[in-house]
Amino acid sequence: MSEVILYVKENCGLCDEVKDLLSLFDVKVILVDIESDPAFLEKYMLEIPVLKIGEEELDYREIDYFELMKRLQ
């Protein structure tokens, strides 16, 4: 099972959509609330949800079913 990090914040519809999408894959999702750390908030505020797979980060514009299939296989 792969492990990914998903940077999110409360009341984020796009974040919920990506969580649902990730549930279709055999992957462990670690959720990180960007509002819990000022550095994360500054870095990701306008880009969430952001998905980190290994050392690579994908912002909301790059996350879709087919992209995840390619990267998580």
Side-chain angles (χ1 to χ4, degrees):
M1 176 184 288
S2 301
E3 185 175 283
V4 298
I5 298 172
L6 182 60
Y7 295 95
V8 298
K9 72 175 187 175
E10 277 190 46
N11 300 315
C12 170
L14 284 174
C15 300
D16 294 337
E17 287 180 29
V18 172
K19 283 187 255 183
D20 291 344
L21 186 59
L22 285 167
S23 72
L24 301 174
F25 296 89
D26 185 25
V27 63
K28 178 180 178 186
V29 179
I30 299 169
L31 297 176
V32 176
D33 184 348
I34 65 167
E35 295 176 327
S36 67
D37 184 317
F40 289 150
L41 187 59
E42 182 177 340
K43 183 175 181 181
Y44 298 118
M45 181 175 10
L46 299 175
E47 301 297 322
I48 61 159
V50 172
L51 182 63
K52 186 171 183 179
I53 303 172
E55 295 302 314
E56 189 173 14
E57 291 184 351
L58 306 172
D59 69 26
Y60 68 94
R61 294 174 291 251
E62 302 171 289
I63 303 170
D64 63 36
Y65 179 81
F66 298 105
E67 192 65 32
L68 290 178
M69 264 187 63
K70 182 171 69 174
R71 293 176 188 269
L72 294 173
Q73 295 299 338

